[in-house]
Amino acid sequence: MALFLGISRLLFRSVKDLSFQTAKIHRVKGKWATTRPKHLPTRLALQHFDATYSVQLGQLWPSVRVALLSERKYGALFNNFSNNPDLEKLQAQGCGDFISNGEDPTSSEHNSEFGAEEDSSSVSTVSSHVDRQQQSPLWLSPNIKCLVFPRGDITRFKPARPDKFNLLSYYLMDAASVLPCLALGVQKNHTVLDLCAAPGGKALALLQTQSVRFLCVNDSSVSRTSRLKRVLHSYIPKPLLTDDKLRITSFDGTMWGEIERNSFDRVLVDVPCTTDRHSLMEDDNNIFSRSRVGERRSLPQLQVELLLAGIIAACPGGEILYSTCTLSLNQNQGVVERAIQLAEENHGIQLQVVSLRPLVKKFRNTFHFAPDLHLGEMVIPHLAANFGPIYLCKLRRLT
């Protein structure tokens, strides 16, 4: 009996020792497993933006910063090719089409806010390479509809439903992303190139105009091009996706000038950028990852090459719209200035900056625009209208 008790005590002590060691091992592994990286990409992005944008935007940066770190607001790009009655339902919920509800840009009250400023800013300060900015009338396609909830209303859109032909009724995107398509001013029988088209929202908006005779959509990434194709097939009827109306390619956009020169009436160059919102909110696929430092630093050069390729692809008299979703001065005005200079020096192409002030005037009740930009226009995030950032600048090839 004494022997049995002794063995029992020994086994119990061994089990206790083993459980203690096992718990300790698990405790160490758990600590290792939950240790967060010291340099999260989102944290690095915020540090970079604080250092850069606080100087660039000055007193505007604190409010822009709060908006960027808050939930973004979406718009619903309505699909004219769908037979789904979601438009009426969305309007009943308080949504409105910001395009048709915009202000009249020719109204006299425009002068009270923009008049003196517009006279002084109409002459570009880029360099001698840019002629006087062209004050062109604003032409908007009557067929593009993008519904948004009123300012301050953060209601979310429900996912779009397919109609009987399996076409979705609307595409959710940042409503400010529609502005480059509107500013491009596509008119009947135009040929259009969307040089960096994925994921496809802007290509969809261009097709909604129902004015494009031929649309070429390109993206250098094969995987992103596959996603682009899926988006188009989810919204556009098959008869409109034939080769004589639409071409989808996956070429290096910087080389497009060697593929097709002087070919398109309108060119959209929506370049890869730091994508400020994504960089602050998502660690996955973040340009501020330590492994992507070189890629991020080379972005302005890539953007210049893409814009220059788009300029060469446009026909004389054609127009080019450059856009990004970053606040960065180096990726916005800096890229446009450099591309204008290289177009003249290396290719003998003269360009004119087309003023987008009428666009700002028409949509200033929907978006918050940055003041006093010497080149182009920019939607900046604001809590009451949390769209953007979107930068856009329009150029015209002179004949």
Side-chain angles (χ1 to χ4, degrees):
M1 185 67 177
L3 179 61
F4 175 78
L5 289 174
I7 293 174
S8 298
R9 289 193 189 98
L10 180 62
L11 287 172
F12 180 73
R13 186 181 303 164
S14 299
V15 169
K16 278 187 67 178
D17 291 343
L18 181 61
S19 63
F20 173 77
Q21 291 176 5
T22 303
K24 184 176 181 181
I25 291 171
H26 279 305
R27 198 159 54 241
V28 171
K29 284 191 175 180
K31 183 178 178 182
W32 289 345
T34 58
T35 299
R36 293 169 64 83
K38 291 182 180 179
H39 304 289
L40 288 171
T42 48
R43 192 178 303 169
L44 293 173
L46 184 58
Q47 292 172 358
H48 176 81
F49 295 159
D50 279 334
T52 305
Y53 297 156
S54 60
V55 176
Q56 180 182 318
L57 298 175
Q59 295 181 347
L60 287 174
W61 173 235
S63 64
V64 172
R65 185 184 196 269
V66 171
L68 277 173
L69 292 170
S70 304
E71 184 176 356
R72 80 187 311 168
K73 194 169 180 177
Y74 284 89
L77 176 68
F78 190 74
N79 184 15
N80 293 312
F81 305 109
S82 171
N83 291 322
N84 203 313
D86 280 345
L87 178 61
E88 292 78 9
K89 293 180 180 179
L90 290 174
Q91 289 173 332
Q93 295 173 20
C95 285
D97 175 24
F98 82 83
I99 301 169
S100 60
N101 294 336
E103 292 185 36
D104 179 4
T106 63
S107 65
S108 57
E109 358 178 306
H110 176 66
N111 297 331
S112 63
E113 183 173 348
F114 294 119
E117 177 187 328
E118 195 165 315
D119 287 341
S120 61
S121 65
S122 63
V123 179
S124 173
T125 57
V126 177
S127 68
S128 59
H129 299 282
V130 180
D131 200 356
R132 185 179 180 85
Q133 285 196 27
Q134 178 67 35
Q135 302 294 323
S136 297
L138 183 64
W139 191 92
L140 301 176
S141 170
N143 296 322
I144 300 182
K145 301 180 184 70
C146 186
L147 280 70
V148 296
F149 285 98
R151 286 177 73 96
D153 187 337
I154 57 173
T155 304
R156 295 182 180 181
F157 287 96
K158 294 180 180 179
R161 300 177 304 162
D163 65 6
K164 61 182 180 180
F165 300 108
N166 222 28
L167 297 177
L168 296 174
S169 55
Y170 55 82
Y171 180 85
L172 294 180
M173 62 192 300
D174 188 323
S177 295
V178 179
L179 293 180
C181 303
L182 295 172
L184 200 55
V186 175
Q187 300 184 31
K188 191 171 179 60
N189 290 326
H190 272 169
T191 55
V192 182
L193 168 64
D194 187 352
L195 192 57
C196 310
K202 294 181 179 66
L204 277 180
L206 292 170
L207 289 170
Q208 296 304 316
T209 65
Q210 302 178 47
S211 298
V212 179
R213 175 165 58 87
F214 178 76
L215 174 65
C216 179
V217 290
N218 178 73
D219 199 276
S220 60
S221 167
V222 175
S223 61
R224 285 169 59 86
T225 304
S226 298
R227 180 185 173 190
L228 169 63
K229 290 179 181 178
R230 290 195 298 271
V231 168
L232 293 177
H233 282 276
S234 298
Y235 289 87
I236 307 300
K238 288 183 179 179
L240 299 181
L241 297 176
T242 55
D243 292 342
D244 61 325
K245 298 179 183 297
L246 177 74
R247 185 170 77 219
I248 303 174
T249 59
S250 186
F251 297 142
D252 178 356
T254 63
M255 306 301 292
W256 201 274
E258 300 181 14
I259 300 172
E260 285 181 303
R261 289 174 170 263
N262 311 320
S263 300
F264 295 93
D265 299 298
R266 297 288 186 268
V267 179
L268 177 61
V269 188
D270 183 46
V271 295
C273 64
T274 48
T275 320
D276 292 358
R277 272 195 191 273
H278 177 84
S279 294
L280 288 174
M281 304 302 288
E282 300 288 342
D283 285 314
D284 291 340
N285 194 30
N286 194 312
I287 194 71
F288 283 87
S289 299
R290 299 299 286 267
S291 60
R292 301 181 67 184
V293 172
E295 180 185 351
R296 176 164 54 85
R297 289 176 177 170
S298 65
L299 273 175
Q301 180 59 35
L302 171 64
Q303 292 158 346
V304 168
E305 292 175 7
L306 286 167
L307 178 53
L308 190 58
I311 291 169
I312 297 171
C315 61
E319 295 179 346
I320 306 99
L321 199 291
Y322 175 79
S323 65
T324 73
C325 50
T326 177
L327 298 165
S328 169
L329 182 67
N330 289 337
Q331 298 178 63
N332 295 337
Q333 294 99 312
V335 167
V336 175
E337 291 172 349
R338 181 63 176 154
I340 290 172
Q341 180 184 10
L342 291 176
E344 181 173 358
E345 291 180 355
N346 297 345
H347 302 279
I349 296 175
Q350 296 279 343
L351 294 160
Q352 186 176 54
V353 179
V354 180
S355 173
L356 295 174
R357 298 305 285 171
L359 191 83
V360 173
K361 166 64 175 67
K362 185 170 180 63
F363 299 126
R364 62 180 175 175
N365 287 336
T366 302
F367 306 106
H368 198 68
F369 289 91
D372 305 326
L373 290 191
H374 78 275
L375 185 62
E377 302 292 347
M378 183 165 63
V379 175
I380 57 176
H382 188 277
L383 277 180
N386 205 1
F387 303 107
I390 292 291
Y391 173 81
L392 56 161
C393 184
K394 188 174 184 179
L395 304 173
R396 178 179 295 134
R397 274 192 63 169
L398 300 178
T399 57

